[in-house]
Amino acid sequence: LDYQHVQVPFEITLWIMLASLAKIGFHLYNKLPSVVPESCLLIFVGLIMGGIIYGLNDRSPPVMDSDIFFLYLLPPIVLDAGYFMPSRPFFENMGTILLYAVVGTVWNVFGIGFSLYGICQVRAFRLQDVSLLHNLLFGSLIAAVDPVAVLAVFEEIHVNEKLHILVFGESLLNDAVTVVLYKLFRSFCEMPTIKSVDVFAGVGKFFVVGLGGVLVGLSFGLTAAFTTRFTKDIRVIEPLFVFLYSYLSYLTAEMFHLSGIVAIIACAMGMKRYVEANISLKSHTTVKYFMKMWSSVSDTLIFIFLGVSTIGENHEWNWPYICFTVIFCLVWRALGVLVLTFFVNRFHVNTITSKDQFIIAYGGLRGAICFSLVFLLPDFHRKKLFIAATTVVILFTVFVQGMTIRPLVDLLAVKRKRESAPTVGEQIHIRFLDHLLAGIEDISGHWGQYYWKDKLEYFNSKYLQKLLLREYDQPKSSIVLLYEKLERKHAIELAQAGQLGHGPAHPSLLNSNRTVLTDQKLEDTQNPDVLDNMQEILARNLYRIRRTGPAYNRHTLPGDSEPGEHAKEILILRHQGL
Amino acid sequence: LDYQHVQVPFEITLWIMLASLAKIGFHLYNKLPSVVPESCLLIFVGLIMGGIIYGLNDRSPPVMDSDIFFLYLLPPIVLDAGYFMPSRPFFENMGTILLYAVVGTVWNVFGIGFSLYGICQVRAFRLQDVSLLHNLLFGSLIAAVDPVAVLAVFEEIHVNEKLHILVFGESLLNDAVTVVLYKLFRSFCEMPTIKSVDVFAGVGKFFVVGLGGVLVGLSFGLTAAFTTRFTKDIRVIEPLFVFLYSYLSYLTAEMFHLSGIVAIIACAMGMKRYVEANISLKSHTTVKYFMKMWSSVSDTLIFIFLGVSTIGENHEWNWPYICFTVIFCLVWRALGVLVLTFFVNRFHVNTITSKDQFIIAYGGLRGAICFSLVFLLPDFHRKKLFIAATTVVILFTVFVQGMTIRPLVDLLAVKRKRESAPTVGEQIHIRFLDHLLAGIEDISGHWGQYYWKDKLEYFNSKYLQKLLLREYDQPKSSIVLLYEKLERKHAIELAQAGQLGHGPAHPSLLNSNRTVLTDQKLEDTQNPDVLDNMQEILARNLYRIRRTGPAYNRHTLPGDSEPGEHAKEILILRHQGL
């Protein structure tokens, strides 16, 4: 037995396996996931695992390594989120999202930090050794809403699209603020004196971190789109580029201390459109499928590890500090949302209702990012207290808020998401209105979002598409593309229902095929009726040569080649048939 | 700049990126890959990279780590090979393959080992310090044909299926022999005296290593099939299980010193049939695509690293030893193939022609497995000589043999692979003959391959399918499945050609859509003809509600749900239309 040799990959594989099996297990019993969010169940599994490890080894189970979290577990989730982000509501509500993400987060950080410092001044609590800077540092890591936790809960409750994008967009974009404030306070903690220059440098840094992330992301995204122009002969490695470039954008941003989350989202949103047009349909299915799969596994692992890491001796318990942290997190977020929404509503026609405000405030879940940041803190004597407080806040938000948000949404009758996709008619009208509004803005000299969108669209079709798309000479409108997609789906459904061109003959076909062929001894072939029937079916339905690709070619999938020729053959046969 | 933090994933991503870009580069110039095999080009790129690293750093570039090779790069390639292995020719030629793999490899090991020992006895060559055991150890690592190299060359020359499976099957299955002999001689080298008991234990070990690998692989494969019975509600993690279980089978086999390659092949071949029936079509596309993609990248990385590792100061040059190694490798393989084929041909009706024999002998390429094994040797004073000899043998076989085998195949007019897949008629006849032969064998009391195949099929349909398939109540014959697959493909082709149900109206549809919709300002909508045309098209082609899945659900892909309902709706609409 040589366990050492294979330990690392073996244990990683086993953890992933455990996560996947846990997921299957929950879905076998349909009732459970409809009451308790999956994230809670996973944390629960983690707690049990942690308890077992703790019981067996008699020492704390290993905590989730912050490096593993930030380098390997977080990127797939953010990539998935960015790639499948509905871009229209995101850009339409960009201003509001940014307000919540930037001003709201700063508000929360300072609110929580200062009020906790106030609590520390109460003698009876024996917390006077926690300085203001440490409290602010703690505030900066506990204030940020966590995209992983938000996604896990909000994807199950189906609130309306605007509400969803407000909470989710905020949780993604606040990363830039969190990175800056966390690093700023951490460096302040290690500095002997703080000059006012440092504070201003910190404010400037925010723009560098955020906009730098966007720039890094966009440049990698456009390079990815450009690269997929040249993959026509080796379809099989197309999906790889989507993953490689987005991961590189994340790593590069992290390397320069920019916001990796912002970078990967910019990369995904920037490349999606061009990559989708360049790569083959099967590649695209693979990309989508693998992204979903990967993010699903990462997400599962994160919650399980969160549970495992909770068990152990890393905690220092102090009732007042921990209780007040939970209370301040709730209160400051609620206040922040109220105040910011007041200003937002003054400048918008579609206001955010008070129900929506409540869900935005209540949906401010904390998760694994806080947890990883608190373990990354430099060692000081109260670190264990911070770890305990963070753990409690996370568990409180995920369990209490996460489990009650669905009943609350039902109770308040919050506007739900529309179940059906917009019809083609609606889409045409929306586009028509966009052009109309762009024209009106142009005439009135007001350069609003429609004006800029129109300009961007012009720049895109004039320069970017020519550079990034392989088959530029055939630009297809998105509605034509949608039509083609629906036709393809339709065709597959027709084929599955057996209605392709030869309606009435079909039931007999299925029956005869089954009786003839599932019988292992082929007794029925002696029946002349069945044979005749079968020959007729085969003659009508199969065209001469069904080529398949060479069995061992690593560059093409079987049956990937020459659709054009086949189509031509079918057409000829069909015409003859008519 | 914080490079340390992201170094590991960043460099891995960059290497993979380099490999993928190199692949794209070769395929941009169509002429190059048709003359030179891709493996040679990649080694060449590696040599250049190695030269650059050597020139810049002034020290040897890092050699390919044997652990990385065996744990991370080799498994995807073998999994791909096993999963896409054409099972019928493989099992039909099983006896011959095993003879080549076991007896042939033992023959080569001892032939090369003893004759090199003979060379070492020549005083003029100054090699008398290389003992017989060291020569045999060297023989055991240099004798084995490499599956990666064989695959890379043979997938480009398209020889007939039997010839391909003989060479490729041998290269896969000889792993068990190589593992046993290599470890045996290595332990002998470290033992003071060798007892005859040890030699017999070695022979016994071969069966343990080979059959143990098969058992481990099959048990993981069947577990994987069983697991996919329960993934109906979370389609998105289905592909994961295929990868996880096969990787676990490889690692488990390696952990117990069994043959990992044999295990992963047994796992892939065992699960394929059941997994394919259980998982959804999209999951299956993803599995196939990702397997191809992964093996393609691994393969590329291996050849690039092979090139990089060649550069440097790891070599000790000794003309006679190196030249004789190359010669003995060629001669002993040729002799082995001749002698073994003589026996094989006496017992078969379909004999192996002398042209085929030549290609089998000539196709015995060496590759990265030898290279990794030679670096794993314990340190002794002649290790660098062995490294040099191994490198030369690999480069000789890959460059000289790999580049000349295609012209030779053309020159000898070796029977090629048939271009088209067998027709349905042929398939029915083959199956009919199988049953007939099984019956004849049963009557005559001769328990040959058809008898056992029939029994296995009976066991499969009686027990295994019930246990492992989700929808067992609807067993589908493989011909019905093929029919369905072709219908689906056909439907997609029809949809792409725009021939789905409304033939004549279509050209106008495309034109009108394009004129209307690609125009950004929608000027043409004022034209009543175009509008009427469009309305008509939309009314005819689009059915009412096109549901899409909730945008953020991590468990389903958009548009994954309820095909049944859609199909019903289409049917109703179609009937109304008729």
Side-chain angles (χ1 to χ4, degrees):
Chain A
L1 189 78
D2 184 8
Y3 184 60
Q4 283 291 315
H5 180 55
V6 298
Q7 188 177 12
V8 178
F10 197 74
E11 286 182 358
I12 293 173
T13 317
L14 277 187
W15 274 111
I16 299 178
M17 186 72 101
L18 171 80
S20 317
L21 290 179
K23 254 191 145 66
I24 289 190
F26 299 151
H27 282 267
L28 278 184
Y29 299 95
N30 290 326
K31 281 184 185 168
L32 206 56
S34 67
V35 180
V36 189
E38 211 182 88
S39 44
C40 300
L41 291 174
L42 291 169
I43 290 185
F44 198 71
V45 169
L47 287 174
I48 294 172
M49 290 285 304
I52 292 172
I53 297 175
Y54 189 49
L56 289 179
N57 288 357
D58 215 18
R59 59 192 172 81
S60 305
V63 293
M64 177 160 57
D65 187 341
S66 300
D67 265 3
I68 291 179
F69 174 74
F70 282 113
L71 290 182
Y72 305 107
L73 293 177
L74 190 58
I77 298 179
V78 183
L79 174 62
D80 176 65
Y83 199 82
F84 292 102
M85 176 92 80
S87 57
R88 197 184 165 88
F90 181 72
F91 285 112
E92 269 178 1
N93 297 298
M94 192 62 155
T96 318
I97 292 172
L98 276 178
L99 196 71
Y100 283 140
V102 179
V103 183
T105 307
V106 172
W107 164 287
N108 277 310
V109 168
F110 284 98
I112 295 172
F114 279 113
S115 29
L116 278 178
Y117 182 62
I119 295 300
C120 291
Q121 299 314 307
V122 179
R123 247 161 223 262
F125 297 158
R126 267 175 286 165
L127 287 161
Q128 282 153 302
D129 52 334
V130 186
S131 70
L132 176 63
L133 256 181
H134 276 122
N135 272 316
L136 284 172
L137 181 56
F138 180 64
S140 75
L141 67 88
I142 204 76
V145 176
D146 186 83
V148 183
V150 166
L151 205 54
V153 166
F154 271 69
E155 76 179 6
E156 292 179 1
I157 60 175
H158 306 308
V159 292
N160 64 74
E161 208 167 27
K162 187 180 174 189
L163 183 52
H164 185 287
I165 205 75
L166 284 182
V167 181
F168 182 50
E170 179 204 337
S171 71
L172 285 174
L173 297 190
N174 67 20
D175 179 60
V177 183
T178 310
V179 167
V180 171
L181 287 181
Y182 179 78
K183 287 192 177 149
L184 196 72
F185 290 131
R186 214 174 70 168
S187 59
F188 282 177
C189 282
E190 283 154 8
M191 276 185 210
T193 57
I194 301 159
K195 292 173 201 155
S196 56
V197 182
D198 297 324
V199 178
F200 284 109
V203 175
K205 232 181 193 173
F206 163 70
F207 290 98
V208 174
V209 167
L211 294 180
V214 172
L215 270 185
V216 168
L218 275 185
S219 49
F220 274 98
L222 296 183
T223 319
F226 186 70
T227 311
T228 51
R229 265 189 76 160
F230 304 103
T231 51
K232 206 183 167 190
D233 297 322
I234 17 171
R235 292 289 190 193
V236 135
I237 57 171
E238 281 175 347
L240 204 60
F241 287 108
V242 175
F243 298 112
L244 286 180
Y245 277 108
S246 24
Y247 193 42
L248 272 186
S249 76
Y250 182 84
L251 292 178
T252 310
E254 287 286 307
M255 196 159 72
F256 291 106
H257 295 290
L258 306 174
S259 166
I261 292 184
V262 171
I264 205 167
I265 285 176
C267 176
M269 293 183 85
M271 76 176 147
K272 186 183 181 188
R273 189 167 173 173
Y274 308 106
V275 165
E276 265 184 29
N278 278 336
I279 68 180
S280 78
L281 196 71
K282 276 188 181 174
S283 300
H284 195 227
T285 305
T286 307
V287 167
K288 285 194 292 184
Y289 223 92
F290 222 77
M291 235 174 233
K292 288 275 168 207
M293 190 174 101
W294 221 324
S295 69
S296 176
V297 169
S298 281
D299 174 277
T300 313
L301 282 177
I302 286 173
F303 284 113
I304 288 186
F305 279 138
L306 213 53
V308 170
S309 310
T310 304
I311 305 288
E313 288 146 4
N314 293 316
H315 306 288
E316 180 195 334
W317 202 260
N318 180 304
W319 275 105
Y321 196 82
I322 289 171
C323 291
F324 276 108
T325 307
V326 174
I327 293 167
F328 287 143
C329 280
L330 287 172
V331 169
W332 282 103
R333 181 161 176 87
L335 281 179
V337 170
L338 276 179
V339 173
L340 289 176
T341 316
F342 174 75
F343 287 106
V344 168
N345 278 347
R346 288 190 59 172
F347 296 101
H348 280 81
V349 183
N350 285 325
T351 54
I352 300 169
T353 65
S354 48
K355 281 177 193 171
D356 286 357
Q357 290 176 40
F358 175 76
I359 296 297
I360 293 174
Y362 202 73
L365 307 181
R366 269 69 163 183
I369 291 186
C370 309
F371 196 80
S372 301
L373 286 179
V374 81
F375 274 99
L376 279 181
L377 283 182
D379 274 324
F380 77 110
H381 64 291
R382 287 291 196 174
K383 188 176 171 181
K384 286 191 174 179
L385 173 64
F386 284 2
I387 293 178
T390 310
T391 310
V392 170
V393 170
I394 294 172
L395 292 184
F396 180 84
T397 54
V398 171
F399 274 88
V400 179
Q401 290 177 222
M403 281 168 74
T404 52
I405 199 164
R406 197 200 307 240
L408 279 172
V409 165
D410 290 340
L411 196 74
L412 292 172
V414 172
K415 204 179 146 206
R416 295 305 181 91
K417 182 183 197 154
R418 55 186 292 175
E419 279 294 304
S420 55
T423 61
V424 174
E426 279 179 279
Q427 288 197 11
I428 293 175
H429 276 96
I430 290 171
R431 182 176 297 196
F432 184 77
L433 276 176
D434 282 356
H435 288 298
L436 202 69
L437 284 167
I440 292 172
E441 283 189 352
D442 207 0
I443 292 166
S444 67
H446 168 76
W447 293 349
Q449 55 167 322
Y450 293 100
Y451 175 83
W452 285 112
K453 201 179 159 188
D454 204 59
K455 281 274 168 274
L456 205 65
E457 204 55 57
Y458 179 77
F459 176 72
N460 172 43
S461 64
K462 186 100 180 170
Y463 304 105
L464 279 182
Q465 287 196 344
K466 279 183 195 162
L467 183 69
L468 300 178
L469 291 189
R470 188 186 303 136
E471 287 158 351
Y472 181 65
D473 42 12
Q474 293 183 328
K476 282 181 181 171
S477 155
S478 63
I479 294 185
V480 174
L481 287 175
L482 176 73
Y483 173 78
E484 284 178 5
K485 191 179 150 196
L486 291 175
E487 275 290 271
R488 220 179 297 118
K489 213 171 130 191
H490 181 169
I492 293 173
E493 282 159 0
L494 275 184
Q496 277 169 351
Q499 289 289 321
L500 203 66
H502 45 78
H506 195 263
S508 66
L509 155 75
L510 252 187
N511 291 342
S512 61
N513 254 358
R514 218 168 258 162
T515 40
V516 176
L517 301 168
T518 55
D519 191 320
Q520 294 285 333
K521 294 292 176 198
L522 284 174
E523 286 161 359
D524 278 358
T525 40
Q526 286 146 7
N527 183 343
D529 282 349
V530 175
L531 261 185
D532 280 355
N533 196 352
M534 204 167 145
Q535 275 169 2
E536 193 200 320
I537 292 160
L538 290 174
R540 194 172 53 229
N541 290 298
L542 300 167
Y543 52 95
R544 201 169 40 87
I545 303 168
R546 302 278 188 187
R547 279 197 203 83
T548 53
Y552 277 106
N553 194 334
R554 189 129 359 105
H555 309 307
T556 54
L557 282 169
D560 214 14
S561 56
E562 305 148 298
E565 222 170 284
H566 277 189
K568 219 184 291 165
E569 203 182 324
I570 299 170
L571 286 188
I572 294 167
L573 273 175
R574 289 277 140 175
H575 276 291
Q576 284 173 353
L578 292 170
Chain B
L1 190 80
D2 182 9
Y3 184 60
Q4 282 290 316
H5 180 55
V6 298
Q7 187 177 13
V8 178
F10 197 74
E11 287 182 357
I12 292 174
T13 317
L14 277 186
W15 274 111
I16 298 177
M17 186 73 101
L18 171 80
S20 317
L21 291 178
K23 256 194 142 67
I24 290 189
F26 298 151
H27 282 267
L28 279 183
Y29 300 96
N30 290 325
K31 280 183 186 168
L32 205 57
S34 66
V35 180
V36 188
E38 209 184 89
S39 44
C40 300
L41 291 174
L42 290 169
I43 291 184
F44 198 70
V45 169
L47 287 173
I48 295 171
M49 291 284 304
I52 293 171
I53 297 176
Y54 190 49
L56 289 180
N57 289 355
D58 215 19
R59 61 190 169 82
S60 305
V63 293
M64 175 158 60
D65 187 339
S66 299
D67 265 1
I68 291 179
F69 173 74
F70 281 113
L71 291 182
Y72 305 108
L73 293 176
L74 190 56
I77 298 179
V78 182
L79 174 63
D80 176 64
Y83 199 82
F84 291 101
M85 175 92 80
S87 56
R88 197 184 164 87
F90 181 71
F91 285 113
E92 268 177 1
N93 297 298
M94 192 61 155
T96 317
I97 293 172
L98 276 178
L99 195 72
Y100 283 139
V102 179
V103 183
T105 307
V106 172
W107 163 288
N108 276 311
V109 169
F110 284 97
I112 295 171
F114 279 113
S115 30
L116 279 178
Y117 182 61
I119 295 300
C120 291
Q121 300 314 305
V122 180
R123 248 161 221 259
F125 296 158
R126 268 176 285 164
L127 286 161
Q128 281 153 306
D129 53 335
V130 186
S131 70
L132 176 62
L133 258 181
H134 277 121
N135 272 317
L136 283 173
L137 181 56
F138 181 63
S140 76
L141 68 87
I142 203 76
V145 175
D146 186 83
V148 183
V150 166
L151 205 54
V153 166
F154 271 70
E155 76 178 7
E156 291 178 0
I157 59 175
H158 306 308
V159 292
N160 64 73
E161 208 166 27
K162 187 180 175 188
L163 183 51
H164 185 287
I165 205 73
L166 285 181
V167 181
F168 181 50
E170 179 203 338
S171 72
L172 286 173
L173 297 191
N174 66 20
D175 179 60
V177 183
T178 311
V179 167
V180 171
L181 287 181
Y182 178 78
K183 289 194 175 147
L184 196 72
F185 289 132
R186 215 174 69 169
S187 58
F188 283 176
C189 282
E190 283 154 9
M191 276 185 211
T193 56
I194 301 160
K195 291 172 199 154
S196 57
V197 182
D198 297 324
V199 177
F200 284 108
V203 175
K205 235 181 192 171
F206 163 70
F207 290 98
V208 175
V209 167
L211 294 180
V214 172
L215 270 185
V216 168
L218 275 184
S219 49
F220 275 99
L222 296 183
T223 319
F226 186 69
T227 311
T228 51
R229 264 190 78 160
F230 304 102
T231 51
K232 205 183 169 190
D233 297 321
I234 16 170
R235 292 290 190 193
V236 134
I237 58 170
E238 280 175 348
L240 204 61
F241 287 109
V242 174
F243 299 112
L244 285 180
Y245 278 108
S246 25
Y247 193 43
L248 272 185
S249 75
Y250 182 84
L251 292 177
T252 311
E254 288 286 307
M255 196 161 73
F256 292 107
H257 296 290
L258 306 175
S259 166
I261 293 184
V262 171
I264 206 168
I265 285 176
C267 178
M269 294 184 85
M271 76 177 147
K272 186 181 182 189
R273 185 167 176 175
Y274 307 106
V275 166
E276 266 185 29
N278 278 336
I279 68 180
S280 78
L281 196 71
K282 277 188 179 174
S283 299
H284 195 226
T285 305
T286 307
V287 167
K288 285 193 291 184
Y289 224 92
F290 223 79
M291 234 174 234
K292 290 274 168 208
M293 191 175 100
W294 220 324
S295 67
S296 176
V297 168
S298 280
D299 174 278
T300 313
L301 282 176
I302 286 174
F303 285 113
I304 289 186
F305 279 139
L306 212 54
V308 171
S309 309
T310 304
I311 305 288
E313 288 147 4
N314 293 315
H315 305 289
E316 179 196 335
W317 202 260
N318 180 304
W319 275 105
Y321 195 83
I322 289 172
C323 290
F324 275 108
T325 306
V326 174
I327 293 168
F328 287 143
C329 280
L330 287 172
V331 169
W332 282 103
R333 181 160 175 87
L335 281 179
V337 169
L338 275 179
V339 172
L340 289 176
T341 315
F342 175 74
F343 286 106
V344 168
N345 278 348
R346 288 190 60 173
F347 295 101
H348 280 78
V349 183
N350 286 326
T351 54
I352 301 168
T353 64
S354 48
K355 282 176 191 171
D356 287 355
Q357 289 176 40
F358 175 75
I359 296 296
I360 294 174
Y362 202 73
L365 307 181
R366 268 68 163 185
I369 291 186
C370 309
F371 196 79
S372 301
L373 285 178
V374 81
F375 273 99
L376 279 181
L377 282 182
D379 273 325
F380 78 110
H381 65 290
R382 287 291 196 172
K383 189 175 170 182
K384 285 189 173 180
L385 174 63
F386 284 2
I387 293 178
T390 309
T391 309
V392 169
V393 170
I394 294 171
L395 292 184
F396 181 83
T397 55
V398 171
F399 274 88
V400 179
Q401 291 176 223
M403 281 168 74
T404 51
I405 198 165
R406 196 199 306 242
L408 279 172
V409 165
D410 289 340
L411 196 76
L412 292 173
V414 172
K415 202 179 148 206
R416 294 303 182 92
K417 185 183 196 151
R418 55 186 293 176
E419 278 295 303
S420 56
T423 61
V424 175
E426 278 180 278
Q427 289 196 10
I428 292 175
H429 276 96
I430 289 170
R431 183 177 296 197
F432 183 76
L433 276 176
D434 283 357
H435 288 297
L436 202 71
L437 284 168
I440 292 172
E441 282 189 351
D442 207 1
I443 291 166
S444 67
H446 169 76
W447 292 351
Q449 56 166 321
Y450 293 100
Y451 175 82
W452 286 112
K453 200 178 160 189
D454 204 58
K455 282 273 168 275
L456 205 65
E457 204 54 58
Y458 178 76
F459 176 72
N460 173 43
S461 64
K462 185 100 179 171
Y463 304 106
L464 280 181
Q465 287 196 343
K466 278 182 195 163
L467 184 68
L468 302 178
L469 292 189
R470 188 185 302 136
E471 287 159 351
Y472 181 65
D473 42 12
Q474 292 182 328
K476 281 180 180 171
S477 155
S478 62
I479 295 184
V480 174
L481 288 175
L482 176 73
Y483 174 78
E484 284 178 5
K485 191 178 150 196
L486 291 174
E487 275 291 271
R488 221 180 296 117
K489 211 169 131 191
H490 181 169
I492 294 173
E493 282 159 0
L494 276 182
Q496 278 170 349
Q499 289 289 322
L500 203 67
H502 45 77
H506 195 263
S508 65
L509 154 77
L510 252 187
N511 292 343
S512 61
N513 253 358
R514 217 169 261 162
T515 39
V516 176
L517 301 168
T518 55
D519 190 320
Q520 294 284 333
K521 294 288 176 200
L522 283 174
E523 287 159 358
D524 277 359
T525 40
Q526 286 143 9
N527 184 343
D529 282 348
V530 174
L531 260 185
D532 280 355
N533 196 351
M534 204 167 144
Q535 276 168 2
E536 192 201 319
I537 291 159
L538 289 174
R540 194 173 52 230
N541 290 299
L542 299 167
Y543 52 96
R544 200 170 39 88
I545 303 168
R546 301 280 187 186
R547 279 198 201 83
T548 55
Y552 277 106
N553 194 332
R554 187 127 2 104
H555 308 307
T556 54
L557 282 169
D560 214 13
S561 57
E562 304 148 299
E565 223 169 283
H566 277 189
K568 220 185 289 167
E569 204 183 323
I570 299 170
L571 286 188
I572 294 166
L573 274 174
R574 289 278 139 175
H575 275 292
Q576 283 171 353
L578 293 171

